[in-house]
Amino acid sequence: SQKIEQNSEALNIQEGKTATLTCNYTNYSPAYLQWYRQDPGRGPVFLLLIRENEKEKRKERLKVTFDTTLKQSLFHITASQPADSATYLCALEYNQGGKLIFGQGTELSVKP
Amino acid sequence: NAGVTQTPKFQVLKTGQSMTLQCAQDMNHNSMYWYRQDPGMGLRLIYYSASEGTTDKGEVPNGYNVSRLNKREFSLRLESAAPSQTSVYFCASGGGASGWRAIGDEQFFGPGTRLTVL
């Protein structure tokens, strides 16, 4: 079955630096890969989607890359702020559709 | 729009008790989902419903039942709660302007129900 690995260790960075989070998967590549943000005590909120045939996607300070050769997606937050502190989840969806498969999430802490 | 709402927010049960978690969405979405989230495990799909009148098992359906009451509401029932079902439960919905969810469409999540089974 498909396995998804995100950085298991929490990521601590200084305000203003770029945060880079990793999502690795096994087996075959998904058609779509999504990134969500989750704050403590709340449900996940969608951030970005990248398709299998796209290498990179940007939205304001966020950038997602998708490398099907490495079976990896990277999620970057540039000029990070303390308000970016949260857990970030990646989710895969295949062409059979209908269901997302989530990684376990990476906790990001941005210190002032 | 309230989005996706869930009740209750918190619940404590004793082993063997039953309860129903309620979920409703006001976005006219056809697809609805129930997940559980445990530390270090991420979100795992319990059941989902692609449209009113249909339900399908997800990754971890044992010990649960669901009902898609109508287009808006999707409930999750624990018939005989066990300590292994202690978790945070999230309901989600998905769909485009037509109400139907296409591959790649985002899912919208509720605030969650924190359930403890003693």
Side-chain angles (χ1 to χ4, degrees):
Chain A
S1 61
Q2 181 65 275
K3 286 190 178 177
I4 305 168
E5 288 290 333
Q6 295 188 248
N7 315 62
S8 56
E9 300 283 326
L11 185 62
N12 297 301
I13 65 167
Q14 208 65 33
E15 183 175 7
K17 300 291 186 184
T18 295
T20 298
L21 285 69
T22 304
C23 177
N24 294 304
Y25 58 91
T26 60
N27 301 337
Y28 46 96
S29 290
Y32 297 88
L33 197 150
Q34 300 184 8
W35 284 87
Y36 287 78
R37 170 184 171 138
Q38 186 174 22
D39 292 289
R42 309 192 75 162
V45 175
F46 173 79
L47 294 174
L48 274 175
L49 163 77
I50 189 164
R51 293 176 174 78
E52 184 181 17
N53 60 357
E54 295 176 321
K55 296 281 189 229
E56 183 180 298
K57 204 79 168 283
R58 290 176 186 260
K59 180 182 176 182
E60 298 171 351
R61 293 184 296 112
L62 308 180
K63 184 177 87 171
V64 174
T65 63
F66 193 1
D67 188 326
T68 55
T69 301
L70 293 178
K71 297 188 178 182
Q72 181 181 81
S73 175
L74 297 179
F75 178 80
H76 306 271
I77 306 175
T78 58
S80 59
Q81 304 165 0
D84 295 325
S85 298
T87 296
Y88 292 85
L89 305 165
C90 69
L92 279 53
E93 187 168 10
Y94 291 87
N95 272 325
Q96 292 82 359
K99 296 180 284 188
L100 294 178
I101 305 171
F102 282 87
Q104 78 272 32
T106 298
E107 184 179 349
L108 172 67
S109 179
V110 182
K111 305 294 184 190
Chain B
N1 283 355
V4 179
T5 57
Q6 292 183 237
T7 55
K9 284 187 166 41
F10 301 94
Q11 184 71 48
V12 178
L13 293 178
K14 294 181 180 176
T15 296
Q17 287 185 316
S18 63
M19 78 160 296
T20 299
L21 282 64
Q22 306 285 355
C23 174
Q25 52 91 11
D26 62 0
M27 294 174 280
N28 195 41
H29 290 163
N30 282 298
S31 296
M32 296 186 74
Y33 309 83
W34 275 106
Y35 293 90
R36 61 178 288 174
Q37 188 174 40
D38 303 292
M41 300 288 289
L43 285 160
R44 291 183 292 168
L45 184 65
I46 304 171
Y47 270 94
Y48 66 104
S49 171
S51 63
E52 185 179 351
T54 68
T55 61
D56 286 288
K57 295 178 181 179
E59 181 186 354
V60 288
N62 291 347
Y64 306 95
N65 285 303
V66 290
S67 294
R68 184 72 183 267
L69 304 170
N70 47 55
K71 190 171 186 178
R72 290 187 65 248
E73 298 171 288
F74 189 37
S75 62
L76 179 72
R77 183 160 179 84
L78 286 70
E79 289 291 351
S80 179
S84 60
Q85 294 178 304
T86 293
S87 188
V88 181
Y89 291 85
F90 288 99
C91 177
S93 73
S98 66
W100 293 101
R101 183 179 180 274
I103 294 175
D105 281 350
E106 66 181 283
Q107 291 185 10
F108 296 83
F109 285 81
T113 294
R114 188 172 295 273
L115 176 67
T116 301
V117 183
L118 302 175

